[in-house]
Amino acid sequence: METVTKKSFINRDIMKSSILGAFKKLNPLYMIKNPVMFVVEVGFVFVVLLTIFPNMMGDVTEESARLYNAIVAFILFITILFANFAESIAEGRGKAQVQSLKKTKTVTEACVLLADGTQVKKQADELKKGDIVLVQAGEVIPNDGEVIDGIATVDESAITGESAPVVKERGGDFSSVTGGTTVTSDWLEIEITSLPGESFLDKMIALIEGASRKKTPNEIALNTLLVSLTIIFLLVVVTLYPMTTYLQVHIPIATLVALIVCLIPTTIGGLLSAIGIAGMDRVTQFNVIAMSGKAVESCGDVDTLILDKTGTITYGNRFASEFLPIQGVGKKELIRAAWLSSLTDDTPEGKSILALASQLDVDSTDEKKIIDTSEHIAFSAYTRMSGLDMKDGTKIRKGAYDSIKNKSVNAGYEVPKDLESLVHQVSSLGGTPLVVMKNEKILGVIYLKDIVKPGLKERFEKLRSMGIKTIMCTGDNPLTAATIAKESGVDSFIAESKPEDKIKVIKDEQSQGKIVAMTGDGTNDAPALAQANVGLAMNSGTNAAKEAANMVDLDSNPTKIIEVVEIGKQLLMTRGALTTFSIANDVAKYFAIIPAMLMVAVPEMSALNIMQLNSPTSAIISALIFNAVIIPLLIPIAMRGVKYEPMSASKLLRRNLLVYGLGGIIAPFIGIKLIDLMSGPILNLMGL
Amino acid sequence: MWQIALVLVIYLPLVIVAGHYLYQVTMQQKTWLDPVMNRVDNIIYKFCGIKQVDMTGKQYVIALILSNAIMIFIGYLILRIQSTLFLNPNDIDNMEATLSFNTIISFMTNTNLQHYSGESGLSYLAQMLVITFMMFTSAATGYVACMAFCRRLVAKSDTIGNFFVDFVRVITRLLIPLSFIVALILVAQGSPQTLKGNETVHTIEGKMQDIALGPIASLESIKHIGTNGGGFNGANSSTPFENPTVISNIVEMLSMMLLPGACVVTFGLMVAKRRQKTLFGKQGLVIFAAMSILLLIGLVTCYIAESAGNPIINNLGISQDIGSMEGKEMRFGIPQSVLFTVVTTAFTTGSINNMHDSLTPLGGMVPMFNMMLNVVFGGKGVGLMNMMMYVMLTIFIACLMIGRTPQFLGKKIEEKEMKLIALCILIHPALILLFSALAVATTAGIAGITNPGAHGLSQVLYEYASSSANNGSGFEGLADNSPFWNMTTGFAMFFGRYLSIIIQLAIASLLAKKLWHSDSVGTLKTDNPMFTFLLIAIVLMIGALTFLPALALGPITEHLQIRS
């Protein structure tokens, strides 16, 4: 994840296609969708005409007017190109992703199993819902479906980017398969569940491609604001013309066009669609597929996060945290036995026992020898225990309380009196007890604890400072839930929760005017996912959950909802910041252009030329160049989003106002002055 | 300077008291006038057949527009046939068609721009039945619109409040009692209140002069209480009969400041949670502070500019030590004149106690600017609604900056609302700039301009700013009683008033129907000093930048020219 965000947002291919795209987008029919830039284009055409026919409006007297008009026209042209370029880059990145997705859609044939057991080859796009296909190792799954027989590993890297194959089998939460993924071992019988062209992959491609076209509600609202600002400034300048005429102040038409272009919010107007596309793109780069841009926007508003305990907040019951010997057994003995039982155990639990044991200075003599000579007894659902048989006949086992107890009793031992209380103690804390026995004699209990994922506490802290409340849902008893809740730092929890409880919590929160986000994977999460304002389903989850959610996480990492919330906020913030910047810029532009415009007729106006710009012409050209150049300079911000750190709204506002508001007022003063220093002498040489 | 400070210090407690009273009237709570006025109200309701049922936003607007339309029609008729009606001791003739159109729109829209001179253009009947009557009804219209607007911001339904009930209550509980008190004070200060005809007297120069009399004090009080502004006499509140003393001057200023400010306090109380209804609602205080700061900026600018005097006149050997006194009354001096000028334009009353045309260029720019912004308290009720447009705009941008979709008082501001907000903010500059451009581009328009160059343009800008903001003061000096000026300013006033109200109530209706969302540390705080600052910044950025080029051509050019 981290590496993705740091990757440069541009490469040579995207650059090339973007430059091409920038020119293609000059088409007025396309430009009219972006009214702000369309006004610039109309202005450009107008000034070009004025360059060719300087007397068109009957206002020209000087020889140099043609050259001046040409320069203005050229800068306007560059301005439009820059804006188009920004949009093209954003689209280019999405396109690259679509291309790679499309590559995975190259399945041509599928082997259909008919009811009588015969196999028929069919074209993949002829598959109907309900068809049953057989997919062998090495083949690509032709369409989304449900496993009805077989067990196999599937490489889902095509859509998730995760290279480790996943086991798929009938029933449970691992039965759905996605078209375009590859079976890497064994075989699967799959019942197709979607029509050709409507698979998850198809939807994904459509979404990424469509991201550039569909505007989100907030984007439309902001666009409305920008359009009305454009109309206001158009009015300002258009009405200025008769006023100056009345006062017999002569202002070249090209200057008026330059004034319009400088005042209308071209900076944000040029970058707006790029910001939206890039925002959606950032979500996709996190391997989350958002079903709509609206979903991403509402992420920014989330007030309450509902999180499952297992998998989201904790890893699940896996890590050894304590050895609890029964009365009469030395702690050292228990540790040694527990250590022995896990020597050949590859499971995370086993590894954690080894780690804890060595932390407690276990007697680890003959480690290598024992491993080499002993026989590993693997865990099975039937015995519910694992361990090893040593060469000297010692049998070490660890396992579930019931199984170990039975085995011990059968061998003639009495159940130690305090065993049950130890087991109860562990489970009441939310842990899982593993009972250890040596040659059928019970030694004690290993406390396997539910471990809170590292860093979560800090994240919940940050979420709280952002005003987001976290609620943990767990099937555990209240005591356990309270322990984990305290440890992880969630704001509240619901213990012994049933799926209906989740919906109730969501509805309660919503009735208090909160926006609720949740993650879920199982079928019984589907109604809650649909009820929540933002529902993030795991890709590993059932199709029902995925259909109900408005986002799907391809990596099936429920913690990611936090990142998605941040991306949503960042998207809105980027829009706000650049809008503020764009409007704030107008102050400096006014100070550059207004005195310059009127200085010829009203020499006293030079008092307002506070930037001491070279000449009126240079002032106008400099402001116009600044206006154009700022667009590509801001492309990185538009693409990456403004820097976001979780903090309270007031702090955030203050910081962004300082950077983009105050910065927006000051930056153009410096920028225009610098450009003037460079362009002034050149314009002088040209005789302007 | 202490005179200015004194008025402002008296103003604060007054506005808070008035705000609380207004809150009681708005929320139909008990007021001390109930024992008497409830009976009066009931008689009116019965007589007019008013059913006290709640209205939807749409019904409310329709009722508002229709009742205004009927008043316009009747008023127009009276102006056109006033010579044949009674109470016309000075034998005033019927008013000309376009002037009648202008006058009637002007008074119904609470503008009170006067292209006629009261003493020579109106009979006493018209003064009372059209002018004074409309001063009550237009002010009430503005306030009930604001009531409907504010209620919908806090309500969970769009069906709330009845236009006719609100309308009656505002007049009986607020306007009549207040203007009665003010009229008595003015009479005590020396304003005439009579139905006798003009007096003709021998002056000390030995010549004969007509002294205009009439029911002046009553008109004068509602003129300011209702932020109307149309004077009984052409010279408005600079004449000794309308505004005899410094005390009457202060009373008139406080009268016009009272209700627009109180509206903000009322709004603050309406949105404040039950326990936080202290002197000021927090949200109201934020808006009140923003308006006050804008007012003070203008006040200080104007005061400095006027005190500095006019260097050209100085060069003529006329001392400017006490400031530029051209066009000002000696009994008011610079402070009282400047304050009146700023107050009357900020609160969009439009009465004047000095000649705005004679202000120094920058001094004259301040009143113009107040009207261009139209949110520095603004007219009764409508000023607050205009400011709310900027508040929502500020929220829209600020919310984005903190990564939330925009939300105000728990309601989301989305595409539809934004369209209307943008349109509403657009109307005002569009009217001013387009009509000004039209005026300087046509011979009919130019014919009215009496000054050359930059000052001429200032006259034009001022006239349309005053019309569109429903202020009504004139830069004067403009020969504005011509069909062109009557018609164009009439349209500017009409659209400036009704388009805004319709759109604003539509926005409120949309918001009322929305789902409510709660606040948290993650949502934008709209009730802290930061927001005040931001609001001012947005008002100046959007409101001011729009007019800067025009102002640069007019007053700024003139200022630079006389100073160089």
Side-chain angles (χ1 to χ4, degrees):
Chain A
M1 272 181 270
E2 304 292 293
T3 50
V4 175
T5 46
K6 276 176 196 152
K7 230 196 304 184
S8 163
F9 62 87
I10 197 165
N11 60 35
R12 193 176 289 173
D13 281 348
I14 293 180
M15 189 75 169
K16 227 190 262 168
S17 69
S18 300
I19 292 175
L20 202 68
F23 279 94
K24 277 188 195 156
K25 282 171 196 270
L26 287 173
N27 179 358
L29 290 176
Y30 183 85
M31 288 293 282
I32 203 156
K33 286 182 196 157
N34 182 349
V36 181
M37 294 316 292
F38 183 71
V39 169
V40 182
E41 191 168 39
V42 171
F44 161 70
V45 172
F46 201 60
V47 181
V48 166
L49 288 177
L50 279 172
T51 312
I52 305 168
F53 314 105
N55 294 313
M56 194 172 71
M57 298 293 287
D59 76 342
V60 164
T61 44
E62 298 153 51
E63 189 53 30
S64 58
R66 187 176 288 222
L67 180 59
Y68 172 68
N69 289 350
I71 294 174
V72 170
F74 178 71
I75 303 173
L76 292 184
F77 185 64
I78 298 282
T79 313
I80 305 167
L81 277 188
F82 280 153
N84 289 348
F85 178 66
E87 197 180 283
S88 296
I89 287 184
E91 284 171 351
R93 294 209 296 170
K95 266 184 203 142
Q97 218 168 358
V98 169
Q99 229 97 57
S100 77
L101 282 175
K102 277 185 175 161
K103 263 181 213 156
T104 67
K105 272 198 52 127
T106 47
V107 204
T108 49
E109 278 193 333
C111 175
V112 180
L113 287 174
L114 298 178
D116 55 7
T118 50
Q119 299 185 4
V120 183
K121 293 266 173 202
K122 247 192 184 179
Q123 290 293 315
D125 48 9
E126 287 171 5
L127 287 174
K128 283 191 284 295
K129 225 172 174 170
D131 279 351
I132 293 168
V133 294
L134 176 73
V135 187
Q136 304 272 6
E139 290 178 353
V140 176
I141 297 171
N143 207 335
D144 296 356
E146 203 71 34
V147 176
I148 54 167
D149 200 8
I151 175 164
T153 51
V154 175
D155 175 9
E156 293 196 319
S157 61
I159 50 167
T160 65
E162 183 67 48
S163 54
V166 209
V167 178
K168 295 284 177 182
E169 59 185 327
R170 183 200 162 100
D173 286 346
F174 293 96
S175 63
S176 77
V177 287
T178 313
T181 55
T182 316
V183 174
T184 50
S185 74
D186 308 292
W187 55 272
L188 290 173
E189 263 182 49
I190 297 164
E191 182 180 342
I192 300 298
T193 53
S194 68
L195 294 169
E198 286 177 16
S199 71
F200 185 64
L201 203 62
D202 290 316
K203 278 187 201 157
M204 221 166 117
I205 293 171
L207 274 167
I208 300 171
E209 278 183 330
S212 55
R213 275 178 249 123
K214 250 192 228 153
K215 282 182 178 155
T216 58
N218 174 266
E219 194 176 347
I220 296 172
L222 180 55
N223 207 35
T224 312
L225 172 65
L226 297 182
V227 169
S228 62
L229 282 178
T230 307
I231 297 174
I232 290 183
F233 285 121
L234 260 177
L235 273 175
V236 168
V237 179
V238 168
T239 54
L240 197 60
Y241 186 69
M243 290 186 207
T244 50
T245 311
Y246 166 74
L247 294 175
Q248 285 155 358
V249 175
H250 169 74
I251 299 176
I253 300 285
T255 302
L256 289 176
V257 174
L259 182 61
I260 292 179
V261 172
C262 280
L263 293 182
I264 62 175
T266 48
T267 313
I268 178 70
L271 293 172
L272 187 59
S273 60
I275 294 171
I277 299 168
M280 289 294 279
D281 191 44
R282 275 201 300 283
V283 176
T284 347
Q285 293 206 15
F286 259 100
N287 266 341
V288 172
I289 301 297
M291 296 303 170
S292 69
K294 195 181 173 185
V296 179
E297 270 175 12
S298 14
C299 272
D301 289 339
V302 167
D303 298 300
T304 309
L305 265 184
I306 296 185
L307 302 163
D308 277 328
K309 186 198 81 174
T310 312
T312 308
I313 295 175
T314 63
Y315 287 107
N317 298 347
R318 288 208 202 152
F319 288 88
S321 80
E322 223 179 325
F323 298 110
L324 307 163
I326 57 166
Q327 254 174 16
V329 176
K331 197 160 191 172
K332 284 256 167 202
E333 195 187 348
L334 172 65
I335 296 175
R336 168 80 179 177
W339 178 75
L340 283 172
S341 76
S342 307
L343 268 182
T344 53
D345 187 351
D346 273 343
T347 62
E349 291 90 343
K351 283 182 188 155
S352 78
I353 293 171
L354 290 183
L356 182 67
S358 37
Q359 245 180 50
L360 297 170
D361 289 328
V362 68
D363 165 22
S364 59
T365 44
D366 297 335
E367 180 179 346
K368 247 207 132 69
K369 209 178 124 195
I370 296 171
I371 295 176
D372 289 343
T373 58
S374 306
E375 190 194 341
H376 174 63
I377 308 296
F379 179 88
S380 81
Y382 176 67
T383 58
R384 294 176 66 208
M385 62 180 77
S386 68
L388 79 178
D389 291 350
M390 284 162 69
K391 212 182 173 188
D392 61 3
T394 318
K395 292 177 176 177
I396 311 274
R397 293 288 185 275
K398 64 168 193 281
Y401 168 58
D402 294 346
S403 332
I404 298 272
K405 192 179 76 180
N406 289 341
K407 190 144 192 175
S408 180
V409 171
N410 286 345
Y413 285 100
E414 239 175 68
V415 183
K417 273 179 234 144
D418 56 338
L419 179 64
E420 194 170 344
S421 70
L422 282 179
V423 167
H424 182 73
Q425 184 193 333
V426 170
S427 36
S428 70
L429 284 172
T432 306
L434 273 186
V435 183
V436 182
M437 71 180 179
K438 184 179 180 182
N439 294 331
E440 274 85 40
K441 183 176 179 284
I442 293 175
L443 298 179
V445 176
I446 306 172
Y447 174 10
L448 289 185
K449 195 179 165 186
D450 214 355
I451 297 285
V452 172
K453 291 185 179 174
L456 270 191
K457 195 164 184 165
E458 291 72 33
R459 294 189 90 160
F460 290 149
E461 193 81 38
K462 279 184 184 168
L463 285 176
R464 199 164 312 123
S465 68
M466 285 153 65
I468 298 178
K469 188 170 119 186
T470 41
I471 299 180
M472 179 179 83
C473 275
T474 171
D476 291 341
N477 60 48
L479 196 62
T480 314
T483 318
I484 299 290
K486 199 176 160 202
E487 216 165 295
S488 60
V490 291
D491 294 303
S492 69
F493 63 88
I494 292 145
E496 287 167 358
S497 79
K498 297 178 284 302
E500 311 88 84
D501 292 344
K502 259 190 202 167
I503 300 185
K504 200 178 152 280
V505 178
I506 295 172
K507 281 188 176 160
D508 278 356
E509 290 287 316
Q510 283 174 338
S511 70
Q512 289 170 41
K514 310 267 191 204
I515 306 256
V516 184
M518 73 161 284
T519 59
D521 43 16
T523 310
N524 50 22
D525 277 340
L529 281 170
Q531 175 71 37
N533 305 73
V534 176
L536 178 65
M538 302 298 107
N539 191 40
S540 62
T542 56
N543 279 330
K546 282 196 255 177
E547 295 274 315
N550 37 25
M551 276 187 253
V552 176
D553 177 17
L554 299 175
D555 298 338
S556 304
N557 170 9
T559 332
K560 236 191 242 172
I561 184 99
I562 301 174
E563 269 101 355
V564 179
V565 166
E566 290 183 357
I567 293 175
K569 281 195 181 294
Q570 210 184 20
L571 172 65
L572 294 176
M573 269 168 58
T574 311
R575 279 189 203 141
L578 293 187
T579 306
T580 311
F581 188 84
S582 194
I583 298 174
N585 274 348
D586 279 3
V587 177
K589 290 176 193 163
Y590 261 130
F591 272 104
I593 297 185
I594 298 259
M597 218 167 59
L598 302 179
M599 230 145 51
V600 182
V602 189
E604 296 89 351
M605 271 289 161
S606 59
L608 289 184
N609 181 13
I610 53 171
M611 278 185 268
Q612 300 295 318
L613 300 178
N614 260 311
S615 67
T617 317
S618 167
I620 291 160
I621 299 280
S622 302
L624 209 51
I625 291 179
F626 176 83
N627 191 55
V629 170
I630 198 72
I631 296 178
L633 288 182
L634 290 175
I635 288 180
I637 292 186
M639 294 292 144
R640 292 203 184 106
V642 300
K643 215 171 134 230
Y644 174 68
E645 275 164 37
M647 54 176 103
S648 76
S650 308
K651 261 193 205 158
L652 201 58
L653 182 62
R654 202 171 317 138
R655 195 199 69 174
N656 282 343
L657 269 183
L658 264 180
V659 177
Y660 297 97
L662 195 63
I665 293 179
I666 296 170
F669 276 104
I670 300 170
I672 292 173
K673 178 72 191 168
L674 284 179
I675 297 170
D676 175 73
L677 286 177
M678 287 182 282
S679 69
I682 301 173
L683 289 171
N684 266 342
L685 279 180
M686 292 167 113
L688 284 169
Chain B
M1 204 60 185
W2 64 268
Q3 298 184 49
I4 294 176
L6 180 74
V7 174
L8 297 181
V9 167
I10 302 173
Y11 174 59
L12 266 184
L14 278 181
V15 79
I16 292 172
V17 171
H20 281 252
Y21 178 65
L22 206 54
Y23 175 72
Q24 291 170 338
V25 173
T26 308
M27 302 310 277
Q28 310 253 3
Q29 292 179 351
K30 265 195 181 163
T31 63
W32 56 274
L33 277 173
D34 281 356
V36 187
M37 286 306 183
N38 273 350
R39 274 179 221 161
V40 178
D41 287 356
N42 285 332
I43 294 169
I44 297 174
Y45 296 154
K46 224 172 246 169
F47 183 73
C48 303
I50 296 170
K51 294 186 196 84
Q52 301 180 48
V53 285
D54 283 350
M55 291 175 160
T56 63
K58 206 174 175 184
Q59 289 169 329
Y60 206 99
V61 172
I62 291 173
L64 186 150
I65 300 289
L66 282 183
S67 58
N68 274 224
I70 290 167
M71 286 188 270
I72 288 177
F73 180 73
I74 295 173
Y76 181 81
L77 216 63
I78 293 175
L79 292 183
R80 297 287 285 145
I81 57 168
Q82 59 176 348
S83 66
T84 56
L85 297 174
F86 47 96
L87 271 180
N88 188 11
N90 298 328
D91 291 325
I92 309 277
D93 206 1
N94 292 336
M95 201 181 255
E96 178 263 332
T98 60
L99 184 58
S100 301
F101 164 79
N102 183 281
T103 304
I104 205 68
I105 296 288
S106 164
F107 280 84
M108 194 66 252
T109 56
N110 201 245
T111 311
N112 306 15
L113 185 76
Q114 293 167 296
H115 284 181
Y116 65 92
S117 224
E119 57 270 54
S120 56
L122 290 176
S123 72
Y124 285 176
L125 182 80
Q127 285 277 23
M128 290 193 294
L129 213 57
V130 178
I131 304 303
T132 315
F133 169 74
M134 281 200 172
M135 282 186 174
F136 280 97
T137 54
S138 69
T141 301
Y143 183 63
V144 295
C146 179
M147 270 165 127
F149 180 84
C150 293
R151 267 196 212 125
R152 278 170 178 73
L153 288 187
V154 287
K156 296 205 165 114
S157 135
D158 185 35
T159 310
I160 183 168
N162 179 301
F163 169 76
F164 300 108
V165 173
D166 288 346
F167 192 74
V168 169
R169 278 176 68 87
V170 167
I171 293 176
T172 58
R173 304 300 149 104
L174 203 68
L175 298 179
I176 289 179
L178 269 176
S179 49
F180 190 75
I181 299 168
V182 172
L184 287 183
I185 301 176
L186 290 180
V187 169
Q189 289 299 312
S191 273
Q193 175 71 18
T194 172
L195 290 179
K196 272 198 290 183
N198 293 348
E199 298 259 0
T200 306
V201 295
H202 283 280
T203 63
I204 21 181
E205 292 164 29
K207 291 179 184 158
M208 300 288 273
Q209 189 181 349
D210 282 338
I211 303 290
L213 293 173
I216 295 180
S218 62
L219 180 135
E220 207 59 20
S221 64
I222 186 61
K223 164 177 125 187
H224 289 112
I225 289 287
T227 66
N228 289 292
F232 195 92
N233 302 314
N236 213 303
S237 281
S238 56
T239 62
F241 282 175
E242 289 202 17
N243 189 2
T245 63
V246 169
I247 291 178
S248 71
N249 196 48
I250 291 177
V251 169
E252 287 181 6
M253 284 191 288
L254 287 173
S255 303
M256 55 180 148
M257 292 162 82
L258 189 64
L259 292 182
C263 279
V264 184
V265 178
T266 305
F267 166 73
L269 293 174
M270 281 170 88
V271 300
K273 304 217 173 65
R274 205 157 281 167
R275 267 167 299 144
Q276 293 156 355
K277 287 194 208 307
T278 45
L279 279 184
F280 257 111
K282 250 183 163 184
Q283 184 67 60
L285 186 59
V286 160
I287 295 172
F288 194 89
M291 289 172 161
S292 305
I293 291 171
L294 287 169
L295 180 78
L296 289 178
I297 294 173
L299 192 56
V300 170
T301 312
C302 191
Y303 184 75
I304 293 174
E306 292 308 307
S307 304
N310 184 339
I312 292 179
I313 295 184
N314 200 27
N315 292 343
L316 295 176
I318 300 166
S319 165
Q320 295 288 298
D321 289 346
I322 57 162
S324 169
M325 281 304 288
E326 182 198 328
K328 297 190 179 65
E329 294 287 308
M330 280 316 283
R331 67 181 185 284
F332 300 135
I334 295 282
Q336 294 264 345
S337 301
V338 164
L339 185 59
F340 202 99
T341 296
V342 174
V343 164
T344 195
T345 45
F347 293 81
T348 67
T349 305
S351 58
I352 50 159
N353 80 346
N354 68 85
M355 199 65 165
H356 289 186
D357 198 20
S358 302
L359 293 167
T360 57
L362 286 189
M365 187 172 81
V366 171
M368 208 186 303
F369 194 60
N370 278 339
M371 295 184 296
M372 285 167 169
L373 293 184
N374 202 15
V375 294
V376 188
F377 288 100
K380 196 164 159 321
V382 290
L384 176 63
M385 289 202 283
N386 290 335
M387 190 53 139
M388 294 312 284
M389 298 297 108
Y390 280 100
V391 167
M392 289 183 203
L393 188 63
T394 309
I395 285 171
F396 187 85
I397 294 174
C399 271
L400 286 186
M401 286 223 277
I402 60 163
R404 306 277 302 204
T405 55
Q407 166 182 333
F408 178 48
L409 298 175
K411 307 289 178 75
K412 293 262 176 249
I413 302 172
E414 287 165 310
E415 187 203 346
K416 259 192 192 167
E417 294 79 45
M418 201 58 220
K419 245 182 211 157
L420 293 175
I421 294 169
L423 187 63
C424 197
I425 289 178
L426 185 70
I427 290 173
H428 188 57
L431 286 176
I432 298 177
L433 292 174
L434 284 176
F435 277 123
S436 296
L438 185 70
V440 295
T442 51
T443 36
I446 292 173
I449 305 172
T450 54
N451 271 290
H455 193 79
L457 182 66
S458 296
Q459 285 182 325
V460 175
L461 283 170
Y462 192 103
E463 183 78 358
Y464 287 111
S466 173
S467 302
S468 174
N470 297 138
N471 178 286
S473 66
F475 222 29
E476 301 310 335
L478 206 57
D480 50 17
N481 183 12
S482 69
F484 174 87
W485 285 96
N486 286 338
M487 296 302 281
T488 52
T489 53
F491 285 124
M493 290 186 280
F494 184 79
F495 292 121
R497 174 81 165 182
Y498 293 108
L499 273 186
S500 301
I501 287 184
I502 292 171
I503 293 172
Q504 284 157 347
L505 282 178
I507 294 170
S509 283
L510 283 175
L511 290 176
K513 289 180 206 155
K514 289 204 170 204
L515 266 181
W516 175 81
H517 297 280
S518 68
D519 283 344
S520 72
V521 258
T523 43
L524 181 74
K525 291 269 165 303
T526 55
D527 56 2
N528 56 11
M530 183 72 179
F531 190 78
T532 302
F533 169 78
L534 207 58
L535 180 59
I536 295 173
I538 292 284
V539 167
L540 289 179
M541 283 286 190
I542 310 269
L545 286 188
T546 315
F547 294 104
L548 195 63
L551 290 176
L553 284 176
I556 294 177
T557 295
E558 200 189 342
H559 171 77
L560 292 170
Q561 279 170 341
I562 65 167
R563 294 258 150 204
S564 61

